[in-house]
């Protein structure tokens, strides 16, 4: 659901031809604000929460939020992408922490 | 880069390209088709036209946790076909299914070699998860596949939204579309074309739609809106079995998959009283192995009978199993783990609630799509189809869509060799007419500045389909009167499309998508009207014809829209049994 961009972490992918979240989003939903040059989701209702932008962001600036209609505030799910592994940290609404790590690519 | 603003069609720059094989849609099926075409003939120019980015486009954007059609030791293409036939209420194209089944394992083994991790036991055998299923760690499987497509030297056009086929008489000779970033119109001439744009989500209102933030909380990829079907419908291609809709049992409020839980961890569906629904009420239809449409319908019937809510019972699971289950979800729909965490739900104490999804038109799960032959040629010369957009082959799933991509490429390469179809001169009128059609929402924005947004029209269609063409709020039920009301209003909406406005190129894509959805919805309602029986309760419930009628309807219901008159013609094709 709506990806929330942390404006302090997002640098608009300055060195890239196109911001990486903007390039990757399957729904063409991520754009750069023309004044601040920070990324934002232009139509949160149209997001499929595939987390492609979250995984691809080199600054770790994007968080996927559940729509409040479906789940309580403030749970978090944070992926850390390695070259052949991914590690996930999930923090529950009650602050309970779960961690997952697995190989996502063969050697 | 900022948003590109509206322009008049005559001011949009044209980009002309030529290729040997054009593949529209670079999802799973399209990527496999591209690779196979290059394997068949490395000298061919293979071009992929993709409205998103190949690394994360199509159904596999978030990943996948299992391959559901792998032929294990002791099983055969025939035994898989028999199983699929039972699951599909006795109706499938056995010729298509058998040829696909022959390619299944190779396609998956290739994917593993390219980098997809598949879970194995201590003997190096794939870990089974049900009779045909194997468990994978597939969160990056699409990225891995895209790398391979690049390695094979295919040309990839990201962010080009296909709008219609380029026609040369009655032959498909490529496609047209617009580039979301460049603001240009692409005209791609091809000697052969494969359509692989996926199925159609979003035709029906999802019950998870609360207006602002969860419009797309649906199971199927919401960016697959049926454009490939619509392009075929407009070109007069024959379509089959749209009425066999895919309505599935999913996790309530999230619309996530449940086979992961019920098949993978042996968690039974239970009702509010704790009764095992399938074992106790559907034993005569196979219990836990009952056909998919029965399983899809069972919890909804319980709900209607006052025995809801229903659940998949996870309360027997060990902490290790729960960790594995959540890892499966992280590989397919990661935010389901977040969903549980946002509710503080410990699934070893509280089972997972389930409910029916909104209906989808998806040839990878049911049989809806282009009517094709074993070479995957459609009824329009020069056009091949594979994956969710191709019909007749229910229960293809991810593996089957990959296998079908391989077959479509072989069919197209053979066509190129045999037909010698050359590049004919381009019909300029066709291109100009298409530009006027595609950019009309810009013209209205520039000339009038007021009209209907694509979101408004999409929601009007979704409400209409939900209430009058058997959506989830109506427990999938419909009758002739309601369907005729739906048709009348779809005609109104098609006329209203002239009022659509787009303020930038993304909105132009949304406008063209909703126009495509209207064409698919119209044909779908014709199919639902024509099949005057109930063959797949849950997928297709005609309350005015509640029984199955084998005498009249053990056949395929097909359609063709006349490109000149716009009239949808309905007819049947016989079912042919090949596997005993």
């Amino acid at each position: 659901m709506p990806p929330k961009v942390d404006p302090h972490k997002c640098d608009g992918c300055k060195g890239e031809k196109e911001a990486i979240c903007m390039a990757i989003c399957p729904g063409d939903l991520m754009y750069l604000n023309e004044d601040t040059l920070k990324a934002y989701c232009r139509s949160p209702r149209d997001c499929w929460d595939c987390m492609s932008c979250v995984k691809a962001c080199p600054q770790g600036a994007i968080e996927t939020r559940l729509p409040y209609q479906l789940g309580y505030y403030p749970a978090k799910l944070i992926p850390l992408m390695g070259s052949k592994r991914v590690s996930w940290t999930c923090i529950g609404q009650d602050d309970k922490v779960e961690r997952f790590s697995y190989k996502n690519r063969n050697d | 880069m900022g948003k590109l603003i509206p322009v008049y069609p005559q001011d949009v720059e044209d980009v002309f390209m030529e290729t040997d094989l054009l593949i529209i849609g670079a999802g799973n099926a399209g990527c496999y088709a591209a690779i196979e075409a290059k394997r068949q003939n490395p000298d061919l120019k293979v071009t992929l036209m993709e409205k998103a980015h190949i690394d994360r486009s199509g159904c596999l954007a978030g990943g996948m946790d299992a391959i559901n059609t792998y032929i294990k030791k002791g099983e055969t293409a025939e035994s898989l076909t028999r199983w699929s036939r039972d699951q599909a209420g006795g109706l499938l194209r056995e010729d298509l299914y058998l040829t696909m089944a022959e390619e299944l394992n190779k396609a998956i083994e290739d994917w593993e070699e390219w980098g997809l991790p598949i879970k194995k036991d201590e003997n190096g055998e794939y870990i089974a998860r049900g009779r045909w299923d194997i468990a994978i760690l597939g969160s990056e499987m699409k990225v891995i596949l895209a790398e391979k497509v690049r390695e094979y030297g295919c040309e990839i056009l990201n962010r080009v939204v296909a709008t219609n086929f380029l026609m040369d008489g009655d032959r498909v000779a490529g496609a047209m579309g617009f580039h979301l970033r460049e603001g240009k119109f692409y005209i791609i001439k091809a000697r052969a074309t494969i359509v692989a744009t996926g199925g159609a989500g979003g035709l029906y209102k999802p019950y998870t739609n609360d207006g602002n933030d969860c419009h797309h909380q649906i199971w199927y990829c919401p960016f697959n809106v049926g454009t490939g079907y619509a392009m075929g419908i407009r070109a007069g291609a024959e379509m089959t079995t749209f009425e066999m809709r895919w309505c599935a049992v999913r996790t309530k409020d999230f619309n996530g998959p449940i086979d992961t839980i019920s098949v993978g961890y042996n968690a039974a569906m239970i009702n509010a009283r704790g009764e095992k629904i399938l074992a106790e009420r559907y034993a005569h239809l196979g219990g836990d192995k009952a056909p998919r449409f029965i399983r899809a319908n069972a919890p909804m019937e319980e709900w209607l009978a006052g025995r809801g809510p229903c659940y998949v019972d996870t309360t027997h699971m060990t902490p290790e199993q729960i960790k594995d289950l959540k890892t499966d979800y992280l590989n397919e729909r990661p935010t389901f783990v977040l969903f549980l965490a946002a509710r503080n739900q410990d699934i070893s104490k509280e089972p997972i609630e389930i409910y029916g999804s909104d209906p989808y038109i998806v040839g990878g799960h049911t049989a809806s799509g282009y009517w094709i032959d074993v070479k995957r040629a459609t009824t329009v010369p020069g056009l091949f189809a594979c994956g969710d957009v191709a019909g007749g082959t229910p229960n293809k799933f991810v593996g089957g869509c990959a296998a079908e991509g391989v077959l479509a490429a072989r069919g197209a390469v053979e066509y190129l060799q045999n037909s010698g179809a050359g590049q004919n001169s381009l019909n300029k009128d066709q291109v100009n007419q298409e530009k006027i059609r595609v950019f009309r929402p810009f013209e209205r924005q520039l000339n009038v500045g007021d009209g209907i947004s694509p979101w408004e029209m999409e929601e009007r269609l979704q409400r209409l389909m939900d209430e009058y063409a058997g959506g989830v709020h109506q427990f999938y039920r419909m009758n002739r009167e309601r369907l005729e009301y739906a048709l009348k209003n779809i005609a109104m909406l098609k006329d209203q499309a002239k009022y659509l406005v787009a303020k930038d190129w993304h909105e132009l894509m949304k406008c063209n998508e909703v126009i495509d959805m209207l064409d698919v919805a119209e044909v779908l309602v014709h199919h639902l009207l024509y099949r005057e029986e109930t063959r797949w309760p849950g997928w297709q419930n005609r309350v005015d014809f509640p029984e199955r009628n084998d005498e009249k309807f053990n056949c395929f219901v097909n359609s063709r829209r006349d490109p000149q008159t716009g009239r949808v013609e309905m007819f049947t094709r016989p079912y042919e049994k090949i596997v005993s």
Side-chain angles (χ1 to χ4, degrees):
Chain A
M1 282 295 104
K4 294 271 180 185
V5 179
D6 182 340
H8 302 294
K9 290 185 184 168
C10 173
D11 66 356
C13 292
K14 282 196 193 77
E16 302 285 337
K17 194 171 129 226
E18 182 176 39
I20 290 170
C21 58
M22 186 175 173
I24 204 72
C25 174
D28 187 39
L29 302 174
M30 300 303 290
Y31 275 72
L32 284 191
N33 178 305
E34 284 169 44
D35 299 322
T36 64
L37 298 180
K38 309 277 183 191
Y40 72 103
C41 178
R42 59 172 289 155
S43 184
R45 73 200 280 290
D46 288 341
C47 171
W48 191 37
D49 61 0
C50 70
M51 297 188 73
S52 298
C53 58
V54 180
K55 290 176 182 173
C57 177
Q59 301 297 324
I62 311 176
E63 180 193 334
T64 295
R65 288 271 174 86
L66 273 186
Y68 190 72
Q69 294 92 328
L70 306 182
Y72 299 106
Y73 186 81
K76 278 183 196 298
L77 179 66
I78 307 150
L80 185 66
M81 302 296 287
S83 62
K84 294 192 189 317
R85 271 194 101 71
V86 57
S87 300
W88 299 82
T89 305
C90 183
I91 306 166
Q93 195 274 332
D94 55 2
D95 286 335
K96 197 177 152 212
V97 176
E98 290 176 283
R99 291 185 205 281
F100 305 85
S101 179
Y102 55 86
K103 188 170 82 167
N104 59 8
R105 205 180 259 264
N106 290 331
D107 296 319
Chain B
M1 179 185 270
K3 292 173 185 172
L4 294 180
I5 54 168
V7 279
Y8 288 104
Q10 62 271 25
D11 297 332
V12 177
E13 187 184 325
D14 293 333
V15 178
F16 292 95
M17 294 180 69
E18 290 191 10
T19 189
D20 293 318
L21 176 61
L22 175 66
I23 299 169
I24 308 168
N28 166 16
C31 287
Y32 266 85
I35 292 168
E36 179 64 18
K38 280 290 195 183
R39 283 175 162 179
Q40 293 280 321
N41 180 357
D43 297 331
L44 281 182
K45 185 176 176 194
V46 176
T47 303
L48 294 116
M49 190 183 194
E50 165 58 57
K51 76 171 172 179
H53 187 291
I54 188 171
D55 279 7
R56 294 283 184 187
S57 61
C59 298
L60 299 180
M64 193 54 62
D65 68 330
I67 296 294
N68 298 326
T69 42
Y70 187 83
I71 301 177
K72 296 169 195 165
K73 280 180 190 152
E75 300 286 1
T76 60
E78 285 75 17
S79 64
L80 179 64
T81 305
R82 223 172 274 126
W83 167 83
S84 182
R85 183 171 63 204
D86 290 345
Q87 293 293 315
L91 203 56
L92 84 168
R93 281 278 303 277
E94 299 192 8
D95 56 339
L96 297 182
Y97 207 87
L98 283 167
T99 46
M100 174 206 76
E102 298 293 346
E103 299 296 327
L104 281 170
N105 288 16
K106 171 78 166 58
I108 299 311
E109 287 153 15
D110 277 351
W111 219 329
E112 183 184 30
E113 197 188 306
W114 299 334
L116 169 67
I118 304 183
K119 291 187 190 172
K120 289 185 176 154
D121 63 18
E122 57 275 14
N123 301 319
E125 299 283 343
Y126 295 150
I127 293 178
R129 204 185 85 172
R131 188 173 170 193
W132 308 105
D133 316 56
I134 55 173
I136 62 173
L137 294 157
S139 65
E140 305 309 298
M141 67 196 297
K142 188 68 209 305
V143 181
I144 291 166
L145 188 57
E147 279 168 11
K148 222 60 205 174
V149 174
R150 282 190 279 266
E151 213 176 287
Y152 271 91
C154 303
E155 179 180 54
I156 300 162
L157 303 172
N158 289 320
R159 301 289 175 203
V160 180
V161 182
T163 59
N164 256 332
F165 295 119
L166 198 59
M167 300 301 292
D168 175 18
D170 65 351
R171 189 181 76 90
V172 166
M176 297 172 277
F178 57 91
H179 198 302
L180 278 171
R181 297 286 182 271
E182 297 173 356
K184 293 176 184 167
F185 194 68
Y186 274 61
I187 301 116
I188 307 173
K189 282 170 67 173
R191 293 169 60 223
T193 304
I194 295 177
V195 60
T197 48
L203 298 178
Y204 286 82
K205 181 179 176 177
Y207 71 90
T208 40
N209 179 351
D210 287 313
N212 45 3
D213 281 354
C214 36
H215 181 73
H216 274 168
Q217 190 65 42
I218 64 176
W219 167 77
Y220 193 60
C221 174
F223 312 120
N224 290 5
V225 298
T227 294
Y229 295 138
M231 288 166 67
I233 289 165
R234 292 193 287 261
E238 185 173 333
M239 297 287 164
T240 190
T241 323
F242 272 30
E243 75 281 7
M244 187 182 181
R245 305 172 306 164
W246 173 241
C247 316
V249 182
R250 306 284 93 165
T251 60
K252 174 99 178 8
D253 291 344
F254 182 86
N255 253 329
I258 69 147
D259 276 3
T260 302
I261 315 165
S262 54
V263 178
Y265 298 90
N266 203 23
M269 286 200 277
I270 56 171
N271 62 20
R273 300 175 191 168
E275 296 166 338
K276 289 186 177 173
I277 304 168
L278 291 170
E280 294 184 25
R281 296 190 182 271
Y282 294 88
H284 61 294
L285 296 171
D288 285 326
K289 292 193 167 54
R292 275 174 185 268
F293 53 89
I294 299 293
R295 284 185 277 148
N297 204 33
M300 299 305 269
E301 291 294 323
E302 292 301 291
W303 190 284
L304 267 179
R307 294 189 294 267
C310 299
Y311 306 90
V312 279
D313 189 5
T314 50
T315 57
H316 65 285
M317 288 174 66
T318 64
E320 292 73 31
Q321 283 179 315
I322 288 172
K323 186 123 193 172
D324 285 349
L325 172 66
K326 288 185 177 178
T327 303
D328 288 343
Y329 273 105
L330 289 171
N331 274 292
E332 180 177 2
R333 289 296 298 277
T335 48
F336 187 63
V337 177
L338 179 62
F339 175 83
L340 294 175
R343 295 177 167 220
N344 299 333
Q345 187 173 347
D346 177 353
I347 61 171
S348 71
K349 296 192 176 74
E350 240 185 292
I352 294 171
E353 193 182 342
I354 53 176
Y355 202 73
S357 72
D358 44 310
Y360 312 108
I361 307 302
V362 182
H365 279 68
T366 60
S368 314
Y370 280 84
W371 184 253
I372 52 176
D373 66 15
V374 285
K375 310 268 190 199
R376 272 59 188 177
T378 70
T379 56
V380 186
L383 181 66
F384 295 75
C386 55
D388 281 348
V389 86
T393 320
N395 308 302
K396 275 188 270 212
F397 308 129
V398 173
C401 288
E404 200 165 59
V406 170
L407 293 169
R410 286 184 200 154
V413 170
E414 192 183 305
Y415 171 83
L416 287 173
Q417 286 161 351
N418 294 343
S419 68
Q423 303 284 3
N424 293 312
S425 61
L426 189 74
N427 179 344
K428 280 267 184 193
D429 285 349
Q430 184 185 171
V431 174
N432 290 336
Q433 275 169 23
E434 179 65 355
K435 284 177 79 175
I436 289 166
R437 189 187 77 87
V438 167
F439 293 105
R440 192 150 73 167
F442 274 172
E443 278 215 271
R444 184 163 179 94
Q445 175 64 28
L446 292 165
N447 293 343
V448 183
D450 182 51
I452 306 297
S453 86
W455 292 275
E456 286 175 308
M457 190 166 285
E458 183 191 37
E459 289 193 2
R460 174 72 191 107
L461 172 69
Q462 289 178 335
R463 166 177 283 268
L464 177 72
M465 294 299 284
D466 182 48
E467 292 175 354
Y468 296 93
V472 61
H473 296 86
Q474 296 295 327
F475 289 83
Y476 310 126
R477 282 151 169 78
M478 65 197 83
N479 61 17
R480 167 166 292 280
E481 292 74 17
R482 280 196 250 174
L483 291 168
E484 283 174 347
Y485 179 94
L487 265 191
K488 185 179 144 206
N489 281 276
I490 289 169
M492 290 282 291
L493 282 168
K494 285 175 71 169
D495 181 54
Q496 293 263 305
K498 62 185 177 228
Y499 299 124
L500 282 167
V501 285
K503 297 188 183 70
D504 62 37
W505 286 67
H506 175 86
E507 291 192 12
L508 183 72
M509 174 178 74
K510 292 289 293 183
C511 287
N512 279 278
E513 285 178 347
V514 78
I515 290 167
D516 291 344
M517 289 160 85
L518 292 173
D519 282 336
V520 178
E522 180 189 33
V523 170
L524 166 60
V525 175
H526 275 289
H527 275 259
L528 290 167
L529 267 169
Y530 193 87
R531 188 175 281 281
E532 293 182 329
E533 63 157 358
T534 296
R535 177 157 298 253
W536 309 284
W539 291 349
Q540 175 256 349
N541 296 42
R542 280 291 297 263
V543 285
D544 45 355
F545 295 96
E547 304 297 328
R548 175 164 155 161
N549 181 350
D550 271 341
E551 204 181 313
K552 205 169 163 197
F553 283 110
N554 198 29
C555 56
F556 296 98
V557 170
N558 285 13
S559 60
R560 184 180 175 274
R561 199 175 93 177
D562 187 314
Q564 264 72 48
T565 64
R567 206 180 142 266
V568 179
E569 181 199 357
M570 302 301 302
F571 49 98
T572 62
R573 297 259 187 200
Y575 158 69
E576 285 171 40
K577 189 169 182 172
I578 298 172
V579 177
S580 58

